[in-house]
Amino acid sequence: MGRVGLSTERLTRAGAELADEVGFEQVTVSALARQFDVKVASLYSHVKNSQDLKTRIALLALEELADRGAAALAGRAGKDALAALANVYRDYAREHPGRYTAAQFRLSPEAAAAGAGGRHALMTRAILRGYDLSEPDQTHAVRLLGSVFHGYITLELGGGFSHSAPDTQETWTRILDAMDALLRNWPAQ
C-alpha cells in the first residue's frame, strides 16, 4: 500500500503543476519525490518511472484541452468555430505551458488510443464541416491547422515574436483570418 495521501492521480496532477512551473522536460519521479519530501521508492507503487509519469501528464493535458475545446465549439461553426478552438489551444498554452508541452509528448500507440487525442482530431474535423472539404483534403486541412496553431503558439511562448511589432494578438487574428480564407477557397488538385 502506498504512502497515505499519495495516489496516481495526485502525483499526476502534482507532476502537471510542476511541469507548468519548471518545464515538462524537468519533470521526473525524483523531482516529484523531492516535492512531496518522500523517497523516490515510495512513488513507484503509483507510477512505474518518469516515462510513465510523463505519459500520465500528457494524457491529463490532452483531456483538459479536449474538454475546453468541446465547450468552446458548442454551437459554433465556420470561422467562429475555427477561432474558438485555436484560442483554446493558445489560452491553455499561456496558462499551462508545461502541460501544453506535455500534450505534444509522443505516446505509445496503446496510450494514444486510450487518451483524448482522437477527440482533438474529431473537433478539428467538426470545424472543417463548415468549409465543405472532402477527403483527402480534409486530412490535409487537419494537419495544416495543427501545424499553424501549434507552430505559432510554440514560437510565441518561446519569445520568438517578442522583439518586433505588430503585437502578437494582431498577428494571431490575421492568421485566423487567413486560415478561414484558405479553407473557404481550398485549392483544387
Side-chain angles (χ1 to χ4, degrees):
M1 180 165 191
R3 190 174 181 97
V4 175
L6 293 182
S7 67
T8 303
E9 182 180 341
R10 184 168 181 213
L11 292 174
T12 301
R13 292 205 171 277
E17 290 169 13
L18 184 62
D20 289 337
E21 293 169 19
V22 301
F24 181 65
E25 301 78 18
Q26 305 304 315
V27 175
T28 63
V29 174
S30 297
L32 206 52
R34 283 190 299 276
Q35 184 173 329
F36 280 99
D37 196 28
V38 297
K39 294 183 190 261
V40 173
S42 66
L43 301 186
Y44 287 129
S45 61
H46 305 289
V47 293
K48 294 176 191 170
N49 50 38
S50 291
Q51 177 78 13
D52 180 42
L53 176 61
K54 287 185 172 188
T55 296
R56 291 175 186 282
I57 295 167
L59 292 170
L60 172 68
L62 288 167
E63 188 74 30
E64 290 175 342
L65 268 168
D67 289 346
R68 287 184 182 197
L73 286 176
R76 292 192 161 115
K79 183 180 177 191
D80 190 33
L82 172 72
L85 187 60
N87 287 326
V88 162
Y89 287 122
R90 188 172 181 229
D91 292 345
Y92 187 83
R94 288 172 162 182
E95 292 170 34
H96 301 290
R99 292 179 207 205
Y100 183 78
T101 299
Q104 313 310 312
F105 186 64
R106 187 179 188 102
L107 298 171
S108 70
E110 298 80 24
R119 288 177 60 200
H120 292 268
L122 290 174
M123 287 187 292
T124 305
R125 288 183 184 276
I127 290 169
L128 295 175
R129 279 189 223 114
Y131 294 101
D132 198 32
L133 295 178
S134 57
E135 285 298 343
D137 291 330
Q138 194 175 93
T139 297
H140 297 315
V142 167
R143 292 172 180 169
L144 173 68
L145 291 175
S147 299
V148 171
F149 296 167
H150 298 304
Y152 187 88
I153 292 166
T154 300
L155 289 169
E156 182 181 35
L157 287 178
F161 306 134
S162 62
H163 306 296
S164 62
D167 178 71
T168 58
Q169 180 58 45
E170 182 180 340
T171 303
W172 181 250
T173 301
R174 296 284 304 204
I175 286 171
L176 295 178
D177 290 343
M179 290 288 88
D180 175 62
L182 172 62
L183 292 170
R184 283 187 285 108
N185 299 290
W186 192 262
Q189 275 189 328

